[in-house]
Amino acid sequence: MLINPNGNAEVTAAMAAQAQLVLDCKMPGPRCRVLGRTNQQAPPLLASPADMQLAAAGVLALGVQAEQEQACAIIVAAFSDPGMNELRGKVSIPVLGIGESAFAEAAKGGRHFGIVTITPDVALLASFTARATELGVGGQYCGAHVTQGDAHTLLANVEQLDRVLAVAIAESIADGAQAIILGGGPLSAAAERLQSQFAVPLLNPVSAAARAVVQLGDGRLSKR
């Protein structure tokens, strides 16, 4: 079950499709289905810590429901992983966050990494630094670069979004990043669109979480 903490059902469908592609490629045998759930109680874009706190209650409710529906794992699909830790205390199935998964993948092998995002909230950007420290990779984190322009406008215009993301990615590389996370569930597809323009890996957080699901292995994931 992929839970989108924001209220944008179109983004939910896109992220579920991205996770499905990873599972179809990485997991042989009967098809493991990815079902998407949208947090209707949250705004369509989570742009501040206050938004994340607002979203957490809906994530918890949807996560408990997912276990009742016999999901074998849950992906919390917002970059700040709202409600993830609390949900882990309420369900017995694995809970993965796209932010946590992307940090782990970006820092693999000791490489330095940066984050590119479209949300300029100062407290939210500070939370990325705190998260890197919390996960033990603070020394590898090169910081975040924010795109120019209004976030809602950018999400409505893919060509404009890709242009400003490319500028921010180049800035992050200049800062020494050897891998770059596109920081936000709605930005996940941009990693694939822009990868050919850059030599360093551009990480899709949703795909990173789906790969983490595959790596669970050990029989905990049953096909349903």
Side-chain angles (χ1 to χ4, degrees):
M1 191 74 73
L2 180 143
I3 297 174
N4 178 9
N6 75 43
N8 191 324
E10 185 177 344
V11 169
T12 304
M15 293 191 296
Q18 292 163 26
Q20 187 70 67
L21 285 174
V22 174
L23 295 186
D24 287 347
C25 178
K26 300 290 186 180
M27 295 182 73
R31 192 167 188 256
C32 184
R33 294 183 299 132
V34 179
L35 302 180
R37 294 288 184 270
T38 304
N39 181 13
Q40 301 289 355
Q41 302 174 27
L45 179 66
L46 304 180
S48 71
D51 289 342
M52 300 300 171
Q53 289 183 342
L54 177 66
V59 170
L60 290 176
L62 289 170
V64 170
Q65 180 182 339
E67 184 172 47
Q68 293 170 348
E69 294 177 8
Q70 297 188 315
C72 58
I74 296 169
I75 293 174
V76 177
F79 190 59
S80 292
D81 300 331
M84 179 189 70
N85 290 328
E86 296 89 339
L87 184 56
R88 285 173 173 167
K90 290 184 176 293
V91 300
S92 59
I93 58 178
V95 178
L96 302 101
I98 66 170
E100 183 179 74
S101 300
F103 271 82
E105 192 167 289
K108 193 174 295 183
R111 64 186 171 187
H112 290 79
F113 67 95
I115 294 171
V116 166
T117 186
I118 61 174
T119 48
D121 185 88
V122 174
L124 187 63
L125 298 178
S127 75
F128 298 163
T129 302
R131 194 69 184 284
T133 301
E134 174 191 343
L135 295 172
V137 295
Q140 296 164 241
Y141 178 47
C142 298
H145 284 266
V146 182
T147 55
Q148 295 293 317
D150 174 72
H152 294 88
T153 301
L154 292 175
L155 290 175
N157 187 324
V158 172
E159 290 185 0
Q160 184 181 357
L161 174 65
D162 284 358
R163 282 197 299 272
V164 295
L165 284 173
V167 171
I169 290 166
E171 292 171 349
S172 186
I173 293 172
D175 281 350
Q178 299 166 306
I180 295 169
I181 301 169
L182 275 292
L187 302 182
S188 293
E192 280 72 29
R193 294 197 303 266
L194 295 171
Q195 182 60 79
S196 63
Q197 300 181 32
F198 300 96
V200 306
L202 305 182
L203 301 184
N204 173 338
V206 172
S207 295
R211 285 189 285 271
V213 169
V214 174
Q215 290 168 6
L216 288 171
D218 74 10
R220 282 188 285 173
L221 301 181
S222 58
K223 310 296 189 297
R224 300 190 185 275

Short mmCIF file of all heavy atoms in Angstrom, two decimals, residues 22-32 214 223:
data_model
loop_
_atom_site.label_atom_id
_atom_site.label_comp_id
_atom_site.label_asym_id
_atom_site.label_seq_id
_atom_site.Cartn_x
_atom_site.Cartn_y
_atom_site.Cartn_z
N VAL A 22 8.93 -0.78 -10.35
CA VAL A 22 10.09 -1.34 -9.64
C VAL A 22 9.80 -2.76 -9.20
O VAL A 22 10.61 -3.67 -9.40
CB VAL A 22 10.45 -0.46 -8.43
CG1 VAL A 22 11.55 -1.12 -7.59
CG2 VAL A 22 10.92 0.91 -8.89
N LEU A 23 8.62 -2.98 -8.60
CA LEU A 23 8.30 -4.32 -8.11
C LEU A 23 8.17 -5.32 -9.25
O LEU A 23 8.61 -6.47 -9.12
CB LEU A 23 7.01 -4.27 -7.29
CG LEU A 23 7.06 -3.46 -5.99
CD1 LEU A 23 5.76 -3.63 -5.22
CD2 LEU A 23 8.22 -3.88 -5.12
N ASP A 24 7.58 -4.90 -10.36
CA ASP A 24 7.45 -5.80 -11.51
C ASP A 24 8.81 -6.21 -12.04
O ASP A 24 9.00 -7.34 -12.49
CB ASP A 24 6.65 -5.12 -12.63
CG ASP A 24 5.17 -5.01 -12.31
OD1 ASP A 24 4.72 -5.67 -11.33
OD2 ASP A 24 4.46 -4.27 -13.01
N CYS A 25 9.78 -5.28 -11.97
CA CYS A 25 11.13 -5.55 -12.48
C CYS A 25 11.95 -6.39 -11.51
O CYS A 25 12.69 -7.29 -11.93
CB CYS A 25 11.83 -4.23 -12.76
SG CYS A 25 13.53 -4.38 -13.35
N LYS A 26 11.80 -6.12 -10.21
CA LYS A 26 12.70 -6.71 -9.21
C LYS A 26 12.17 -7.97 -8.54
O LYS A 26 12.95 -8.72 -7.95
CB LYS A 26 12.99 -5.67 -8.12
CG LYS A 26 13.67 -4.40 -8.61
CD LYS A 26 15.09 -4.65 -9.04
CE LYS A 26 15.80 -3.35 -9.39
NZ LYS A 26 17.20 -3.58 -9.81
N MET A 27 10.85 -8.19 -8.58
CA MET A 27 10.28 -9.33 -7.86
C MET A 27 9.73 -10.35 -8.85
O MET A 27 8.69 -10.14 -9.46
CB MET A 27 9.17 -8.87 -6.91
CG MET A 27 9.66 -7.98 -5.80
SD MET A 27 8.35 -7.47 -4.64
CE MET A 27 8.09 -9.00 -3.76
N PRO A 28 10.43 -11.49 -9.04
CA PRO A 28 9.96 -12.51 -9.96
C PRO A 28 8.74 -13.23 -9.39
O PRO A 28 8.45 -13.15 -8.19
CB PRO A 28 11.15 -13.46 -10.07
CG PRO A 28 11.85 -13.32 -8.76
CD PRO A 28 11.69 -11.88 -8.37
N GLY A 29 8.02 -13.91 -10.26
CA GLY A 29 6.89 -14.69 -9.78
C GLY A 29 5.58 -13.92 -9.90
O GLY A 29 5.48 -12.96 -10.66
N PRO A 30 4.57 -14.35 -9.13
CA PRO A 30 3.25 -13.69 -9.19
C PRO A 30 3.36 -12.19 -8.93
O PRO A 30 4.16 -11.75 -8.13
CB PRO A 30 2.45 -14.39 -8.08
CG PRO A 30 3.14 -15.70 -7.90
CD PRO A 30 4.59 -15.46 -8.17
N ARG A 31 2.52 -11.44 -9.60
CA ARG A 31 2.59 -9.99 -9.53
C ARG A 31 2.20 -9.48 -8.16
O ARG A 31 1.17 -9.84 -7.60
CB ARG A 31 1.67 -9.40 -10.60
CG ARG A 31 1.84 -7.91 -10.85
CD ARG A 31 1.12 -7.54 -12.13
NE ARG A 31 1.42 -6.15 -12.52
CZ ARG A 31 0.56 -5.15 -12.35
NH1 ARG A 31 -0.60 -5.37 -11.78
NH2 ARG A 31 0.87 -3.94 -12.76
N CYS A 32 3.04 -8.63 -7.59
CA CYS A 32 2.74 -7.95 -6.33
C CYS A 32 2.11 -6.60 -6.67
O CYS A 32 2.72 -5.77 -7.34
CB CYS A 32 4.03 -7.75 -5.52
SG CYS A 32 3.74 -7.02 -3.89
N VAL A 214 11.58 -4.40 -1.83
CA VAL A 214 12.13 -5.63 -2.43
C VAL A 214 13.23 -6.20 -1.55
O VAL A 214 13.32 -7.42 -1.34
CB VAL A 214 12.67 -5.32 -3.84
CG1 VAL A 214 13.39 -6.55 -4.41
CG2 VAL A 214 11.54 -4.88 -4.77
N LYS A 223 2.40 -12.30 -1.78
CA LYS A 223 1.66 -11.75 -2.91
C LYS A 223 0.18 -11.78 -2.58
O LYS A 223 -0.35 -12.80 -2.17
CB LYS A 223 1.94 -12.56 -4.19
CG LYS A 223 3.40 -12.79 -4.49
CD LYS A 223 4.09 -11.49 -4.77
CE LYS A 223 5.52 -11.73 -5.28
NZ LYS A 223 6.38 -12.39 -4.34
#
